[in-house]
């Protein structure tokens, strides 16, 4: 399998002929050889996007027609669900059912924002007799997107769809570890009538293609999802050109379970929140705060779930697939060792599976760490793997304090039958999203998503995301 850059509607190789290899994390086998974008390729992609934007090939057409093209993209994604899900599963290892969901959510992004394309409106401002004042929301220009490997098609669509709805031109750089469905998205968009140059896809390394894109003087906006350290560098590069950035930088999200909760429901929600995509999710519920008197009953339920989960190759549709790479697998192992050295106890998992048939891939068991205190590294640092840190509490005030004892603030879950307790705690928690007796909402396309503190700034998803891809012009008339 091969992959090429998509620039100005053409599938081309890198300017220097360079390529990189993509491996299936389920087996360690070679999946594809992909063109590796250089700085020159990024320059060409940005210049192409700029020309297409200024030429009004997209922003200048009737907004309703933009919506119709985006609806065609949504339908094409749905029509090709099996092909795309299989490719996504092989590319980053996630179970096939989760990959199917990702494709459906990507389609929903295009559908949702297609319906908004002709409804991006301004306001009139009353200044009194003799004046008419109004605002216009105009597309911001060339929007650059740097997308991670954990949800390539879903996160790609999450940013590309609102940018296109607003009338922007886009340069999309997928991760070099999982670029394949982003390239297919570019091909599908062209086939559905998106004008050449409006969506350019340039896979490559972060150190070359990512740096060239983030620091490019001709982009007008940047959306980035990744780690805090890389996000800081990306923001610094964009700031040199006074380019606004939307940052989603991860989390250490708590699920807070009170003794009066439906523990069966809570156990299901907590397990899904940490073990989905092998815990390789920015919004993973990686901390469990459980009221002490419910500890045994809840952890028994979670341990039974963890021990019964089938781990295997993504395309075999297991309960949990592999870790993305050998390096990340080793990082997870080290964190478990750190946790136990600090006093945590492994209640389930804690190692690679013993099954010899999985030896070629990068697998780790669903893991529960008990006896964790709020200050331990496993309770503070983002592990990005299927490792749940379990912390006991006694009172609501303590739960709020521990939940907020983190550099992150992306998502939180609260599980209780007492709505007054839930609302009081929701008001206290510093987090961009709060869920009560659930965790996540089927992709949450309509729900604004973003973080407090080091989880980032700006909002994706929902109507709020359009603010990132438009700019406001005020017009004042005296008559």
């Amino acid at each position: 399998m091969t992959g090429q850059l998509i620039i100005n509607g053409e599938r081309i190789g890198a300017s220097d002929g360079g390529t990189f290899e993509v491996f299936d994390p389920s087996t360690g086998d070679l999946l594809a050889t992909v063109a590796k974008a250089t700085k020159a390729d990024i320059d060409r992609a940005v210049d192409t996007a700029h020309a297409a934007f200024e030429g009004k090939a997209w922003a200048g057409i009737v907004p309703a027609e933009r919506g119709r093209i985006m609806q065609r993209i949504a339908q094409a994604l749905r029509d090709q669900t099996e092909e795309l899900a299989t490719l996504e599963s092989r590319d980053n290892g996630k179970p096939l059912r989760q990959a199917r969901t990702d494709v459906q959510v990507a389609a929903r992004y295009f559908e949702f924002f297609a319906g908004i394309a002709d409804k991006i409106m301004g306001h009139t401002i009353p200044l009194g007799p003799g004046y008419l004042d109004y605002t216009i929301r105009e597309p911001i220009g060339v929007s650059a997107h740097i997308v991670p490997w954990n949800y390539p098609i879903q996160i790609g669509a999450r940013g590309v769809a609102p940018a296109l709805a607003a009338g922007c031109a886009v340069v999309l750089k997928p991760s070099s570890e999982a670029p394949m469905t982003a390239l297919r998205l570019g091909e599908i968009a062209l086939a559905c009538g998106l004008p050449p140059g409006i969506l350019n896809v340039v896979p490559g390394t972060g150190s070359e293609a990512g740096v060239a894109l983030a620091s490019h003087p001709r982009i007008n906006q940047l959306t980035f999802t990744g780690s805090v350290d890389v996000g800081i560098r990306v923001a610094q590069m964009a700031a040199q050109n006074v380019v606004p950035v939307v940052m989603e930088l991860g989390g250490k999200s708590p699920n807070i379970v009170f003794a009066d909760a439906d523990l069966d429901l809570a156990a299901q929600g907590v397990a899904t929140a940490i073990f989905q995509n092998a815990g390789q999710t920015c919004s993973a519920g990686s901390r469990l705060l459980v009221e002490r008197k419910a500890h045994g009953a809840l952890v028994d339920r979670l341990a039974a779930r963890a021990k019964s989960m089938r781990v295997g190759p993504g395309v075999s549709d297991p309960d949990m697939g592999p870790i993305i790479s050998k390096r990340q697998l080793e990082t997870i192992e080290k964190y478990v060792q750190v946790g136990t050295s600090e006093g945590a106890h492994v209640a389930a998992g804690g190692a690679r599976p013993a099954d010899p048939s999985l030896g070629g891939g990068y697998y780790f068991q669903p893991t529960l760490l008990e006896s964790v205190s709020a200050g331990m590294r496993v309770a503070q640092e983002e592990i990005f793997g299927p490792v749940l840190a379990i912390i006991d509490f006694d009172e609501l005030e303590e739960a709020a304090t521990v939940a907020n004892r983190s550099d992150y603030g992306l998502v939180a879950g609260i599980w209780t039958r007492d709505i007054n307790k839930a609302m009081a705690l929701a008001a206290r928690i510093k987090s961009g999203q709060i869920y009560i007796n659930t965790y996540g909402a089927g992709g949450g396309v309509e729900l604004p998503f973003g973080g407090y503190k080091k989880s980032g700034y700006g909002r994706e998803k929902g109507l709020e995301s359009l603010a990132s891809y438009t700019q406001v012009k005020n017009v004042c008339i005296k008559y």
Side-chain angles (χ1 to χ4, degrees), residues 317-331:
D317 203 20
D319 297 310
M320 197 175 82
I323 307 304
I324 186 66
S325 65
K326 183 174 183 288
R327 180 179 61 182
Q328 181 60 21
L329 174 60
E330 292 171 348
T331 296

Side-chain angles (χ1 to χ4, degrees), residues 162-373:
L164 293 181
C168 297
V170 175
V171 179
L172 170 63
K173 194 208 86 66
S175 167
S176 58
E177 290 186 291
M180 303 310 295
T181 52
L183 289 167
R184 281 294 295 127
L185 175 61
E187 294 170 350
I188 288 168
L190 287 168
C192 290
L194 193 72
I198 294 300
L199 175 57
N200 306 276
V201 187
V202 283
T205 63
S207 59
E208 184 172 9
V211 167
L213 187 56
S215 62
H216 204 286
R218 299 196 79 193
I219 65 171
N220 304 107
Q221 186 273 340
L222 175 65
T223 294
F224 172 83
T225 302
S227 70
V228 173
D229 290 342
V230 176
I232 290 170
R233 295 197 295 272
V234 165
Q236 290 170 337
M237 287 184 278
Q240 294 296 314
N241 297 306
V242 199
V243 169
V245 183
V246 175
M247 287 276 179
E248 198 261 278
L249 303 179
K252 194 69 178 177
S253 299
N255 260 310
I256 305 164
V257 181
F258 289 90
D260 66 358
D262 179 332
L263 295 185
D264 290 328
L265 180 67
Q268 179 181 344
V270 169
T272 300
I274 183 58
F275 298 136
Q276 178 177 285
N277 202 29
Q280 299 169 121
T281 304
C282 295
S283 56
S286 54
R287 288 187 294 160
L288 169 60
L289 280 57
V290 58
E291 191 170 4
R292 196 177 306 275
K293 56 189 175 183
H295 176 105
L298 181 60
V299 173
D300 286 348
R301 286 169 167 82
L302 289 170
R305 283 179 173 272
K307 291 172 183 177
S308 68
M309 290 178 70
R310 185 171 72 87
V311 178
V315 292
S316 72
D317 203 20
D319 297 310
M320 197 175 82
I323 307 304
I324 186 66
S325 65
K326 183 174 183 288
R327 180 179 61 182
Q328 181 60 21
L329 174 60
E330 292 171 348
T331 296
I332 295 166
E333 288 180 311
K334 289 176 183 176
Y335 267 112
V336 172
Q337 293 167 7
V338 166
T340 55
S341 70
E342 290 182 323
H345 165 68
V346 177
R352 303 187 192 194
D355 186 348
S357 70
L358 304 179
Y362 314 123
Y363 297 93
F364 200 78
Q365 296 172 326
T367 297
L368 306 178
L369 294 180
E370 286 187 288
S371 305
V372 175
S373 63

Side-chain angles (χ1 to χ4, degrees), residues 407-473:
D407 288 338
Y408 298 103
L410 192 56
V411 178
I414 301 169
W415 305 81
T416 176
R417 288 185 169 94
D418 185 339
I419 192 61
N420 294 313
K421 186 188 298 181
M423 295 302 292
L425 186 55
R428 293 286 311 278
I429 295 174
K430 297 179 174 65
S431 180
Q433 285 190 335
I434 307 286
Y435 290 98
I436 298 173
N437 293 326
T438 185
Y439 195 94
V445 170
E446 304 87 350
L447 311 181
F449 179 67
Y452 284 33
K453 299 182 281 186
K454 288 187 178 179
S455 284
Y457 48 81
R459 290 296 180 265
E460 299 189 76
K461 306 186 182 184
L463 294 176
E464 281 81 357
S465 65
L466 292 168
S468 300
Y469 304 107
T470 57
Q471 49 196 347
V472 176
K473 177 182 288 181

